[in-house]
Amino acid sequence: MDYVRARSHQHDKNRVESAHDRQMTILVIMLFFAALIPYALTAHLAVISPQDPVLHIGSSLTAVCTISAELEITARSLYWTLNGRRLARNTYKVLSPTESSVTLHQLNGSLQRSGDNLVCHRSNGEVLAGSCLYVGSSPEKPVNLTCWSRNTKDLSCRWSPGSQGETFINTKYILKYKLKWYGKEKDCEDYTGQPYTCYVPRDLAIFTPYEVWVEASNQLGSATSDVITLDILDVVTTDPPLDVLVSRVGELEDQLSVRWGSPPALKDYLFQAKYQIRYRVIDDAGNQTSCRLAGLRAGTVYFVQVRCNPIGIYGSKKAGIWSDWSHSTAASTPGIDRSHIGTCDSKPSEHNSTLRKELKQFFGWMRKHSYGCTDVSIKLYDQWRVWLQKAQKTHDQVSKDKAFLLMGHISRHYCWHT
């Protein structure tokens, strides 16, 4: 019995609370409509014409506020505002006891795309009527339309709105595309990225060219870009290289070794990648996935990035599109040169030139004095160069002698002599 009474009490309590909630909801609605009544009564008693006109920049406009006799006021007592700013009295004109006009010359582009607010007021500031002015220009022909595909799976396009750019009123841009020789025209639907860009996420064909263009339109006119023709395979970009590793090259103070992985998203495609490395300058690394940076400063930390250009996918003859740069990876060269800490070398290419000259001299000597060389690895050159560096730094004749003895060792053990 106690349980039944408790359930009954709870039921009564919920019913009372529900009735209270309904009463509060009705009260809020009544207050809302009560607040609108003064405006609603005034709205049909005054009107501005023309309503919401669309005008070219530089145009002139004469607007008329007509009031009802029921308001028991005269047009002479009215005043006008534009975007909340009171207009000069010399722009007004009383046409009749119930009509006041205002004339605006050389209109500038609208300050907001929703239109400029032209309002007619009573002398006490009460709003009688309003009109939105849309002042702008027709769109220009969109230009610089470019598109790219990430790993052949999608298509992104970007364009510029024309030399003038700003139209000051709402302007709609639609990216359109279709297969060149057949197929239905389609509209790109995803404009959520950067301004003047659109993204097609799926359902794209390869080995067949597309026609792509942009249409721009607003209340004052329309314009269409040039049509570009592209094959998805010709505009492929990919993800930044993964697993970028930077390490020292033995004791060499001016070199670092860089290794990275090829883009996994394109592992099933036939293509030849092209890589670039960025540290202080950009070096082209070709199709290899490792590279040696030379001409570096001893005892210095370097941050290295790599990017990829997947050219020639399925035989495409077009230049590919570079990926974003990979995350930075850091490594330091051996040794500490206190006199250079905190400085940057403005001519790193001179060091690379020196290295190329030394390599040319080293292997030129090998070709000149020996033939039939086998297993002469870059590590032997590295060791020779370490000893040569020490000799140059300390003026140590012993290290210099070691360098030339090593060259003789290579010649004796790896080559037939001339």
mmCIF file of all heavy atoms in Angstrom, residues 246-259 291-293 296-300 331-336 378-387 389-390 393:
data_model
loop_
_atom_site.group_PDB
_atom_site.id
_atom_site.type_symbol
_atom_site.label_atom_id
_atom_site.label_comp_id
_atom_site.label_asym_id
_atom_site.label_seq_id
_atom_site.Cartn_x
_atom_site.Cartn_y
_atom_site.Cartn_z
ATOM 1 N N VAL A 246 67.447 11.368 -40.375
ATOM 2 C CA VAL A 246 68.678 12.104 -40.640
ATOM 3 C C VAL A 246 69.737 11.598 -39.669
ATOM 4 O O VAL A 246 69.496 11.542 -38.466
ATOM 5 C CB VAL A 246 68.474 13.623 -40.470
ATOM 6 C CG1 VAL A 246 69.736 14.374 -40.878
ATOM 7 C CG2 VAL A 246 67.291 14.100 -41.296
ATOM 8 N N SER A 247 70.890 11.238 -40.196
ATOM 9 C CA SER A 247 71.938 10.680 -39.329
ATOM 10 C C SER A 247 73.309 11.181 -39.778
ATOM 11 O O SER A 247 73.483 11.668 -40.899
ATOM 12 C CB SER A 247 71.905 9.147 -39.374
ATOM 13 O OG SER A 247 72.048 8.676 -40.698
ATOM 14 N N ARG A 248 74.280 11.047 -38.892
ATOM 15 C CA ARG A 248 75.641 11.461 -39.198
ATOM 16 C C ARG A 248 76.300 10.477 -40.160
ATOM 17 O O ARG A 248 75.932 9.311 -40.240
ATOM 18 C CB ARG A 248 76.471 11.551 -37.919
ATOM 19 C CG ARG A 248 76.004 12.639 -36.973
ATOM 20 C CD ARG A 248 76.893 12.681 -35.733
ATOM 21 N NE ARG A 248 76.489 13.765 -34.833
ATOM 22 C CZ ARG A 248 77.102 14.042 -33.693
ATOM 23 N NH1 ARG A 248 78.138 13.301 -33.308
ATOM 24 N NH2 ARG A 248 76.683 15.033 -32.937
ATOM 25 N N VAL A 249 77.321 10.972 -40.850
ATOM 26 C CA VAL A 249 78.117 10.128 -41.740
ATOM 27 C C VAL A 249 79.479 9.951 -41.085
ATOM 28 O O VAL A 249 80.416 10.712 -41.325
ATOM 29 C CB VAL A 249 78.254 10.770 -43.139
ATOM 30 C CG1 VAL A 249 79.040 9.849 -44.068
ATOM 31 C CG2 VAL A 249 76.889 11.074 -43.731
ATOM 32 N N GLY A 250 79.549 8.952 -40.204
ATOM 33 C CA GLY A 250 80.798 8.703 -39.489
ATOM 34 C C GLY A 250 81.264 9.941 -38.745
ATOM 35 O O GLY A 250 80.498 10.574 -38.019
ATOM 36 N N GLU A 251 82.538 10.296 -38.953
ATOM 37 C CA GLU A 251 83.110 11.472 -38.290
ATOM 38 C C GLU A 251 83.139 12.690 -39.195
ATOM 39 O O GLU A 251 83.721 13.721 -38.830
ATOM 40 C CB GLU A 251 84.530 11.141 -37.823
ATOM 41 C CG GLU A 251 84.595 10.030 -36.780
ATOM 42 C CD GLU A 251 86.032 9.750 -36.353
ATOM 43 O OE1 GLU A 251 86.763 10.722 -36.108
ATOM 44 O OE2 GLU A 251 86.412 8.576 -36.298
ATOM 45 N N LEU A 252 82.565 12.597 -40.359
ATOM 46 C CA LEU A 252 82.573 13.745 -41.266
ATOM 47 C C LEU A 252 81.783 14.888 -40.650
ATOM 48 O O LEU A 252 80.613 14.742 -40.317
ATOM 49 C CB LEU A 252 81.979 13.358 -42.620
ATOM 50 C CG LEU A 252 82.841 12.425 -43.477
ATOM 51 C CD1 LEU A 252 82.094 12.058 -44.744
ATOM 52 C CD2 LEU A 252 84.166 13.092 -43.824
ATOM 53 N N GLU A 253 82.421 16.037 -40.532
ATOM 54 C CA GLU A 253 81.812 17.159 -39.839
ATOM 55 C C GLU A 253 80.865 17.982 -40.708
ATOM 56 O O GLU A 253 80.105 18.798 -40.201
ATOM 57 C CB GLU A 253 82.918 18.084 -39.295
ATOM 58 C CG GLU A 253 83.793 17.403 -38.257
ATOM 59 C CD GLU A 253 84.927 18.302 -37.800
ATOM 60 O OE1 GLU A 253 85.138 19.358 -38.448
ATOM 61 O OE2 GLU A 253 85.596 17.969 -36.817
ATOM 62 N N ASP A 254 80.942 17.799 -42.017
ATOM 63 C CA ASP A 254 80.160 18.655 -42.899
ATOM 64 C C ASP A 254 79.130 17.889 -43.723
ATOM 65 O O ASP A 254 78.669 18.365 -44.757
ATOM 66 C CB ASP A 254 81.087 19.436 -43.841
ATOM 67 C CG ASP A 254 81.868 18.521 -44.784
ATOM 68 O OD1 ASP A 254 81.890 17.294 -44.519
ATOM 69 O OD2 ASP A 254 82.422 19.025 -45.780
ATOM 70 N N GLN A 255 78.749 16.680 -43.246
ATOM 71 C CA GLN A 255 77.796 15.882 -44.013
ATOM 72 C C GLN A 255 76.775 15.214 -43.093
ATOM 73 O O GLN A 255 77.059 14.899 -41.935
ATOM 74 C CB GLN A 255 78.505 14.803 -44.845
ATOM 75 C CG GLN A 255 79.423 15.372 -45.904
ATOM 76 C CD GLN A 255 79.977 14.304 -46.807
ATOM 77 O OE1 GLN A 255 79.378 13.235 -46.968
ATOM 78 N NE2 GLN A 255 81.128 14.589 -47.420
ATOM 79 N N LEU A 256 75.568 15.023 -43.620
ATOM 80 C CA LEU A 256 74.507 14.267 -42.962
ATOM 81 C C LEU A 256 73.844 13.381 -44.003
ATOM 82 O O LEU A 256 73.729 13.741 -45.169
ATOM 83 C CB LEU A 256 73.452 15.200 -42.348
ATOM 84 C CG LEU A 256 73.872 16.024 -41.131
ATOM 85 C CD1 LEU A 256 72.773 17.039 -40.802
ATOM 86 C CD2 LEU A 256 74.153 15.131 -39.928
ATOM 87 N N SER A 257 73.388 12.217 -43.580
ATOM 88 C CA SER A 257 72.678 11.294 -44.463
ATOM 89 C C SER A 257 71.180 11.403 -44.197
ATOM 90 O O SER A 257 70.742 11.423 -43.046
ATOM 91 C CB SER A 257 73.146 9.855 -44.226
ATOM 92 O OG SER A 257 72.383 8.950 -45.000
ATOM 93 N N VAL A 258 70.379 11.486 -45.260
ATOM 94 C CA VAL A 258 68.923 11.603 -45.149
ATOM 95 C C VAL A 258 68.278 10.413 -45.861
ATOM 96 O O VAL A 258 68.618 10.113 -47.002
ATOM 97 C CB VAL A 258 68.411 12.913 -45.784
ATOM 98 C CG1 VAL A 258 66.916 13.076 -45.524
ATOM 99 C CG2 VAL A 258 69.180 14.109 -45.250
ATOM 100 N N ARG A 259 67.358 9.747 -45.181
ATOM 101 C CA ARG A 259 66.602 8.642 -45.776
ATOM 102 C C ARG A 259 65.121 8.855 -45.494
ATOM 103 O O ARG A 259 64.756 9.423 -44.477
ATOM 104 C CB ARG A 259 67.056 7.290 -45.210
ATOM 105 C CG ARG A 259 68.489 6.935 -45.560
ATOM 106 C CD ARG A 259 68.893 5.556 -45.008
ATOM 107 N NE ARG A 259 70.257 5.248 -45.338
ATOM 108 C CZ ARG A 259 70.646 4.717 -46.496
ATOM 109 N NH1 ARG A 259 69.723 4.429 -47.419
ATOM 110 N NH2 ARG A 259 71.915 4.475 -46.741
ATOM 111 N N CYS A 291 69.713 10.536 -49.514
ATOM 112 C CA CYS A 291 70.545 11.605 -50.055
ATOM 113 C C CYS A 291 71.574 11.991 -48.998
ATOM 114 O O CYS A 291 71.325 11.833 -47.800
ATOM 115 C CB CYS A 291 69.675 12.804 -50.420
ATOM 116 S SG CYS A 291 70.591 14.170 -51.161
ATOM 117 N N ARG A 292 72.699 12.482 -49.467
ATOM 118 C CA ARG A 292 73.702 12.971 -48.538
ATOM 119 C C ARG A 292 73.812 14.481 -48.679
ATOM 120 O O ARG A 292 74.006 15.013 -49.767
ATOM 121 C CB ARG A 292 75.063 12.332 -48.807
ATOM 122 C CG ARG A 292 76.152 12.823 -47.860
ATOM 123 C CD ARG A 292 77.458 12.131 -48.082
ATOM 124 N NE ARG A 292 77.355 10.713 -47.766
ATOM 125 C CZ ARG A 292 78.424 9.918 -47.645
ATOM 126 N NH1 ARG A 292 79.634 10.399 -47.802
ATOM 127 N NH2 ARG A 292 78.262 8.642 -47.373
ATOM 128 N N LEU A 293 73.655 15.185 -47.559
ATOM 129 C CA LEU A 293 73.803 16.638 -47.538
ATOM 130 C C LEU A 293 75.258 16.952 -47.236
ATOM 131 O O LEU A 293 75.827 16.426 -46.281
ATOM 132 C CB LEU A 293 72.907 17.260 -46.471
ATOM 133 C CG LEU A 293 71.418 16.889 -46.534
ATOM 134 C CD1 LEU A 293 70.673 17.600 -45.415
ATOM 135 C CD2 LEU A 293 70.831 17.255 -47.877
ATOM 136 N N LEU A 296 78.034 21.187 -44.909
ATOM 137 C CA LEU A 296 77.373 21.642 -43.692
ATOM 138 C C LEU A 296 78.403 22.174 -42.697
ATOM 139 O O LEU A 296 79.606 21.989 -42.857
ATOM 140 C CB LEU A 296 76.579 20.494 -43.069
ATOM 141 C CG LEU A 296 75.599 19.768 -44.001
ATOM 142 C CD1 LEU A 296 74.874 18.666 -43.243
ATOM 143 C CD2 LEU A 296 74.604 20.743 -44.607
ATOM 144 N N ARG A 297 77.912 22.789 -41.641
ATOM 145 C CA ARG A 297 78.792 23.352 -40.621
ATOM 146 C C ARG A 297 78.985 22.353 -39.487
ATOM 147 O O ARG A 297 78.024 21.717 -39.034
ATOM 148 C CB ARG A 297 78.188 24.647 -40.077
ATOM 149 C CG ARG A 297 79.152 25.451 -39.235
ATOM 150 C CD ARG A 297 78.475 26.683 -38.669
ATOM 151 N NE ARG A 297 77.919 27.524 -39.703
ATOM 152 C CZ ARG A 297 78.633 28.326 -40.475
ATOM 153 N NH1 ARG A 297 79.944 28.366 -40.346
ATOM 154 N NH2 ARG A 297 78.037 29.080 -41.383
ATOM 155 N N ALA A 298 80.188 22.222 -39.016
ATOM 156 C CA ALA A 298 80.484 21.291 -37.927
ATOM 157 C C ALA A 298 79.775 21.708 -36.651
ATOM 158 O O ALA A 298 79.613 22.895 -36.368
ATOM 159 C CB ALA A 298 81.989 21.223 -37.697
ATOM 160 N N GLY A 299 79.303 20.704 -35.859
ATOM 161 C CA GLY A 299 78.691 20.986 -34.569
ATOM 162 C C GLY A 299 77.427 21.807 -34.673
ATOM 163 O O GLY A 299 77.148 22.634 -33.814
ATOM 164 N N THR A 300 76.637 21.555 -35.715
ATOM 165 C CA THR A 300 75.428 22.350 -35.950
ATOM 166 C C THR A 300 74.216 21.431 -36.090
ATOM 167 O O THR A 300 74.295 20.369 -36.698
ATOM 168 C CB THR A 300 75.578 23.187 -37.234
ATOM 169 O OG1 THR A 300 76.746 24.001 -37.110
ATOM 170 C CG2 THR A 300 74.373 24.078 -37.465
ATOM 171 N N ALA A 331 69.032 16.577 -36.854
ATOM 172 C CA ALA A 331 70.272 15.853 -36.557
ATOM 173 C C ALA A 331 71.392 16.883 -36.517
ATOM 174 O O ALA A 331 71.267 17.976 -37.096
ATOM 175 C CB ALA A 331 70.556 14.780 -37.599
ATOM 176 N N SER A 332 72.466 16.546 -35.835
ATOM 177 C CA SER A 332 73.593 17.471 -35.734
ATOM 178 C C SER A 332 74.835 16.862 -36.368
ATOM 179 O O SER A 332 75.023 15.640 -36.364
ATOM 180 C CB SER A 332 73.876 17.815 -34.272
ATOM 181 O OG SER A 332 74.263 16.650 -33.561
ATOM 182 N N THR A 333 75.677 17.710 -36.915
ATOM 183 C CA THR A 333 76.964 17.260 -37.442
ATOM 184 C C THR A 333 77.959 17.142 -36.295
ATOM 185 O O THR A 333 77.834 17.834 -35.283
ATOM 186 C CB THR A 333 77.485 18.264 -38.479
ATOM 187 O OG1 THR A 333 77.441 19.580 -37.910
ATOM 188 C CG2 THR A 333 76.631 18.248 -39.741
ATOM 189 N N PRO A 334 78.962 16.274 -36.427
ATOM 190 C CA PRO A 334 79.961 16.123 -35.348
ATOM 191 C C PRO A 334 80.779 17.386 -35.181
ATOM 192 O O PRO A 334 80.849 18.234 -36.064
ATOM 193 C CB PRO A 334 80.834 14.963 -35.850
ATOM 194 C CG PRO A 334 80.046 14.298 -36.923
ATOM 195 C CD PRO A 334 79.199 15.350 -37.537
ATOM 196 N N GLY A 335 81.420 17.477 -34.017
ATOM 197 C CA GLY A 335 82.336 18.578 -33.778
ATOM 198 C C GLY A 335 81.625 19.831 -33.336
ATOM 199 O O GLY A 335 80.442 20.015 -33.565
ATOM 200 N N ILE A 336 82.334 20.724 -32.665
ATOM 201 C CA ILE A 336 81.782 22.002 -32.192
ATOM 202 C C ILE A 336 82.711 23.109 -32.631
ATOM 203 O O ILE A 336 83.873 23.158 -32.256
ATOM 204 C CB ILE A 336 81.622 22.026 -30.655
ATOM 205 C CG1 ILE A 336 80.671 20.910 -30.215
ATOM 206 C CG2 ILE A 336 81.130 23.392 -30.202
ATOM 207 C CD1 ILE A 336 80.522 20.828 -28.724
ATOM 208 N N ILE A 378 81.724 4.309 -50.940
ATOM 209 C CA ILE A 378 81.794 5.704 -50.511
ATOM 210 C C ILE A 378 82.378 5.804 -49.105
ATOM 211 O O ILE A 378 82.926 6.832 -48.720
ATOM 212 C CB ILE A 378 80.393 6.355 -50.579
ATOM 213 C CG1 ILE A 378 80.484 7.884 -50.472
ATOM 214 C CG2 ILE A 378 79.495 5.808 -49.492
ATOM 215 C CD1 ILE A 378 81.111 8.529 -51.681
ATOM 216 N N LYS A 379 82.294 4.713 -48.324
ATOM 217 C CA LYS A 379 82.853 4.735 -46.968
ATOM 218 C C LYS A 379 84.365 4.945 -47.000
ATOM 219 O O LYS A 379 84.942 5.579 -46.113
ATOM 220 C CB LYS A 379 82.506 3.445 -46.227
ATOM 221 C CG LYS A 379 81.025 3.325 -45.874
ATOM 222 C CD LYS A 379 80.754 2.074 -45.085
ATOM 223 C CE LYS A 379 79.270 1.990 -44.703
ATOM 224 N NZ LYS A 379 78.958 0.771 -43.940
ATOM 225 N N LEU A 380 85.060 4.360 -48.009
ATOM 226 C CA LEU A 380 86.500 4.564 -48.117
ATOM 227 C C LEU A 380 86.817 6.024 -48.415
ATOM 228 O O LEU A 380 87.761 6.601 -47.890
ATOM 229 C CB LEU A 380 87.064 3.657 -49.214
ATOM 230 C CG LEU A 380 87.021 2.153 -48.894
ATOM 231 C CD1 LEU A 380 87.391 1.356 -50.129
ATOM 232 C CD2 LEU A 380 87.972 1.830 -47.744
ATOM 233 N N TYR A 381 85.981 6.616 -49.263
ATOM 234 C CA TYR A 381 86.150 8.051 -49.529
ATOM 235 C C TYR A 381 85.908 8.852 -48.256
ATOM 236 O O TYR A 381 86.639 9.796 -47.956
ATOM 237 C CB TYR A 381 85.179 8.500 -50.621
ATOM 238 C CG TYR A 381 85.016 10.005 -50.672
ATOM 239 C CD1 TYR A 381 86.000 10.809 -51.223
ATOM 240 C CD2 TYR A 381 83.893 10.599 -50.105
ATOM 241 C CE1 TYR A 381 85.858 12.177 -51.226
ATOM 242 C CE2 TYR A 381 83.746 11.978 -50.115
ATOM 243 C CZ TYR A 381 84.742 12.770 -50.678
ATOM 244 O OH TYR A 381 84.600 14.125 -50.683
ATOM 245 N N ASP A 382 84.885 8.439 -47.472
ATOM 246 C CA ASP A 382 84.597 9.143 -46.220
ATOM 247 C C ASP A 382 85.802 9.125 -45.289
ATOM 248 O O ASP A 382 86.152 10.143 -44.678
ATOM 249 C CB ASP A 382 83.387 8.509 -45.527
ATOM 250 C CG ASP A 382 82.088 8.750 -46.294
ATOM 251 O OD1 ASP A 382 82.068 9.663 -47.134
ATOM 252 O OD2 ASP A 382 81.114 8.012 -46.041
ATOM 253 N N GLN A 383 86.440 7.929 -45.165
ATOM 254 C CA GLN A 383 87.584 7.818 -44.264
ATOM 255 C C GLN A 383 88.743 8.683 -44.744
ATOM 256 O O GLN A 383 89.398 9.376 -43.967
ATOM 257 C CB GLN A 383 88.023 6.354 -44.164
ATOM 258 C CG GLN A 383 89.105 6.113 -43.122
ATOM 259 C CD GLN A 383 88.644 6.519 -41.715
ATOM 260 O OE1 GLN A 383 87.643 6.019 -41.234
ATOM 261 N NE2 GLN A 383 89.376 7.417 -41.087
ATOM 262 N N TRP A 384 88.929 8.651 -46.066
ATOM 263 C CA TRP A 384 89.991 9.488 -46.641
ATOM 264 C C TRP A 384 89.730 10.961 -46.350
ATOM 265 O O TRP A 384 90.629 11.710 -45.998
ATOM 266 C CB TRP A 384 90.036 9.226 -48.157
ATOM 267 C CG TRP A 384 90.927 10.169 -48.911
ATOM 268 C CD1 TRP A 384 92.292 10.137 -48.991
ATOM 269 C CD2 TRP A 384 90.509 11.290 -49.683
ATOM 270 N NE1 TRP A 384 92.758 11.161 -49.771
ATOM 271 C CE2 TRP A 384 91.674 11.899 -50.218
ATOM 272 C CE3 TRP A 384 89.268 11.844 -50.003
ATOM 273 C CZ2 TRP A 384 91.629 13.023 -51.023
ATOM 274 C CZ3 TRP A 384 89.229 12.957 -50.807
ATOM 275 C CH2 TRP A 384 90.390 13.536 -51.318
ATOM 276 N N ARG A 385 88.472 11.364 -46.434
ATOM 277 C CA ARG A 385 88.138 12.778 -46.255
ATOM 278 C C ARG A 385 88.250 13.195 -44.772
ATOM 279 O O ARG A 385 88.616 14.320 -44.464
ATOM 280 C CB ARG A 385 86.724 13.053 -46.760
ATOM 281 C CG ARG A 385 86.483 14.516 -47.028
ATOM 282 C CD ARG A 385 85.314 14.720 -47.962
ATOM 283 N NE ARG A 385 85.163 16.125 -48.281
ATOM 284 C CZ ARG A 385 84.532 16.997 -47.504
ATOM 285 N NH1 ARG A 385 83.975 16.595 -46.389
ATOM 286 N NH2 ARG A 385 84.454 18.272 -47.845
ATOM 287 N N VAL A 386 87.899 12.265 -43.836
ATOM 288 C CA VAL A 386 88.058 12.557 -42.407
ATOM 289 C C VAL A 386 89.506 12.869 -42.088
ATOM 290 O O VAL A 386 89.824 13.850 -41.404
ATOM 291 C CB VAL A 386 87.547 11.373 -41.554
ATOM 292 C CG1 VAL A 386 88.001 11.528 -40.107
ATOM 293 C CG2 VAL A 386 86.036 11.287 -41.626
ATOM 294 N N TRP A 387 90.418 12.031 -42.579
ATOM 295 C CA TRP A 387 91.842 12.276 -42.324
ATOM 296 C C TRP A 387 92.294 13.580 -42.970
ATOM 297 O O TRP A 387 93.090 14.329 -42.429
ATOM 298 C CB TRP A 387 92.680 11.098 -42.844
ATOM 299 C CG TRP A 387 92.602 9.898 -41.933
ATOM 300 C CD1 TRP A 387 92.295 9.887 -40.618
ATOM 301 C CD2 TRP A 387 92.814 8.548 -42.310
ATOM 302 N NE1 TRP A 387 92.307 8.601 -40.127
ATOM 303 C CE2 TRP A 387 92.635 7.745 -41.153
ATOM 304 C CE3 TRP A 387 93.152 7.912 -43.501
ATOM 305 C CZ2 TRP A 387 92.768 6.367 -41.154
ATOM 306 C CZ3 TRP A 387 93.306 6.537 -43.494
ATOM 307 C CH2 TRP A 387 93.107 5.770 -42.341
ATOM 308 N N GLN A 389 90.408 16.209 -43.518
ATOM 309 C CA GLN A 389 89.864 17.303 -42.712
ATOM 310 C C GLN A 389 90.741 17.580 -41.496
ATOM 311 O O GLN A 389 91.009 18.726 -41.148
ATOM 312 C CB GLN A 389 88.438 16.984 -42.273
ATOM 313 C CG GLN A 389 87.391 17.233 -43.339
ATOM 314 C CD GLN A 389 85.991 16.949 -42.818
ATOM 315 O OE1 GLN A 389 85.821 16.379 -41.740
ATOM 316 N NE2 GLN A 389 85.001 17.316 -43.605
ATOM 317 N N LYS A 390 91.137 16.491 -40.826
ATOM 318 C CA LYS A 390 91.976 16.649 -39.636
ATOM 319 C C LYS A 390 93.296 17.323 -40.002
ATOM 320 O O LYS A 390 93.807 18.183 -39.277
ATOM 321 C CB LYS A 390 92.236 15.294 -38.985
ATOM 322 C CG LYS A 390 91.010 14.703 -38.300
ATOM 323 C CD LYS A 390 91.345 13.359 -37.666
ATOM 324 C CE LYS A 390 90.124 12.781 -36.941
ATOM 325 N NZ LYS A 390 90.423 11.451 -36.354
ATOM 326 N N LYS A 393 92.697 21.002 -40.547
ATOM 327 C CA LYS A 393 92.346 21.726 -39.329
ATOM 328 C C LYS A 393 93.558 21.922 -38.422
ATOM 329 O O LYS A 393 93.728 22.958 -37.782
ATOM 330 C CB LYS A 393 91.236 20.990 -38.588
ATOM 331 C CG LYS A 393 90.709 21.733 -37.380
ATOM 332 C CD LYS A 393 89.627 20.934 -36.695
ATOM 333 C CE LYS A 393 88.398 20.765 -37.570
ATOM 334 N NZ LYS A 393 87.305 20.073 -36.857
#
